[in-house]
Amino acid sequence: MVNVGDSRMIKDQVLAEKVFYLNRALLKQYADASGDQNPIHQDEAFAKSVGLPDVIAHGMLTMALVGKYVSDAAGGSAKVLEFGGRFTKPVIVPAGHDVDLTVSATVSDVAQGKATLSISATSAGVKVLGMAKAVVAL
Amino acid sequence: MISPDSIGRTFPGTESITISQSEIDAFCAVIGETDSSIAPPTFSIRISLQQSEVILTSPEVGIKWDRLVHGDQKFDIKRPIKAGDVVTCSSTIESAREVAGNEIISVRSDISSAEELLVSSWSTLVIRA
């Protein structure tokens, strides 16, 4: 039987890039939705007082957006079985700016009804997630 | 420093949390997800990270949360969370080590509804010197 539909993936396939935009308002929205009200994600003076260049996005906001990319690629959140990554550099969000989060992925393996995606995520050209991988149901 | 006695310990989640549609909707709205019939893949961090904070900052474990940086995160989703699920979250401090004065702590969280395991997740938390 041949599988058709959005979730069809073959090994070494390169998935389309998607760009998300983050700004201070989105960080506040994520703080409320996640319960993580750490001031380094909202208060510029506080962030700088602890040695950060500016307000930074929650690592888990970055991962939530990359998770949306994976859900879309897989044909829905229900198909996402495993998802992980390492926070290599913060996404820096200056006031009054929309900062990019550019996500792409390659299908690194297909076996037993599942595909493994190797994911790239950068902001302002800097890699923000390392070793990012997801396993999705086909 | 983390109390050595706490390494390897599992802290059972005693409090039951009822997942509401409005909290799933709010999370979906942030990421632009239009299907909120189930929770997005990383939604469970809302439960597990809060629980980790309570456990790790308790006097018996002794971690200072204000020096914490999230190192990495992984999710293993057995069944997506949805509104109406009544869940508990148990957390295990799997390991702790020190690198250049920073403490690196690995915590596993298991979110279950009744006896069904929904999501396991692993967080590496770095407590900066």
Side-chain angles (χ1 to χ4, degrees):
Chain A
M1 200 176 102
V2 177
N3 254 331
V4 291
D6 290 336
S7 62
R8 187 174 181 188
M9 291 181 184
I10 53 171
K11 192 170 171 358
D12 299 326
Q13 182 183 351
V14 178
L15 306 180
E17 179 182 286
K18 178 166 179 180
V19 183
F20 297 91
Y21 290 95
L22 294 84
N23 56 32
R24 292 281 181 88
L26 191 72
L27 268 55
K28 173 74 173 96
Q29 193 186 352
Y30 183 77
D32 292 341
S34 68
D36 184 347
Q37 299 285 352
N38 187 328
I40 61 173
H41 308 304
Q42 296 185 47
D43 181 337
E44 188 169 324
F46 182 86
K48 288 179 174 170
S49 78
V50 295
L52 294 167
D54 206 321
V55 163
I56 62 169
H58 308 71
M60 286 309 304
L61 169 56
T62 302
M63 218 168 146
L65 293 167
V66 175
K68 167 69 168 135
Y69 176 92
V70 173
S71 293
D72 287 350
S77 296
K79 297 203 168 196
V80 182
L81 307 175
E82 294 173 35
F83 179 38
R86 179 173 297 171
F87 304 108
T88 49
K89 291 280 181 196
V91 174
I92 300 162
V93 185
H97 283 74
D98 289 333
V99 175
D100 78 295
L101 173 67
T102 302
V103 186
S104 61
T106 305
V107 180
S108 52
D109 195 25
V110 175
Q112 296 173 330
K114 297 175 186 177
T116 303
L117 309 185
S118 294
I119 303 159
S120 157
T122 63
S123 180
V126 176
K127 181 176 171 178
V128 294
L129 273 189
M131 317 263 294
K133 272 194 184 343
V135 177
V136 301
L138 294 177
Chain B
M1 286 293 293
I2 188 167
S3 156
D5 293 348
S6 60
I7 299 163
R9 258 185 78 184
T10 296
F11 297 79
T14 48
E15 192 190 348
S16 290
I17 301 157
T18 303
I19 306 297
S20 70
Q21 187 62 55
S22 63
E23 64 188 316
I24 294 177
D25 289 346
F27 202 96
C28 286
V30 178
I31 60 173
E33 177 57 77
T34 52
D35 178 6
S36 64
S37 63
I38 56 171
T42 68
F43 174 83
S44 63
I45 197 74
R46 179 179 157 80
I47 300 158
S48 58
L49 205 56
Q50 214 159 38
Q51 174 117 343
S52 292
E53 180 173 359
V54 171
I55 292 164
L56 294 175
T57 59
S58 69
E60 57 184 317
V61 180
I63 288 301
K64 288 193 173 66
W65 200 254
D66 60 348
R67 306 294 296 170
L68 183 135
V69 177
H70 205 155
D72 65 39
Q73 181 66 37
K74 181 176 185 295
F75 300 89
D76 189 346
I77 302 161
K78 307 290 184 198
R79 193 268 269 167
I81 292 170
K82 54 181 173 27
D85 282 336
V86 180
V87 302
T88 56
C89 176
S90 79
S91 302
T92 304
I93 301 175
E94 289 196 324
S95 67
R97 61 197 168 97
E98 196 183 316
V99 176
N102 299 317
E103 275 192 286
I104 302 173
I105 299 171
S106 296
V107 182
R108 172 190 176 137
S109 301
D110 292 311
I111 294 177
S112 306
S113 172
E115 292 301 301
E116 184 187 8
L117 177 63
L118 304 184
V119 181
S120 292
S121 60
W122 292 262
S123 305
T124 303
L125 305 172
V126 182
I127 320 298
R128 292 181 296 142

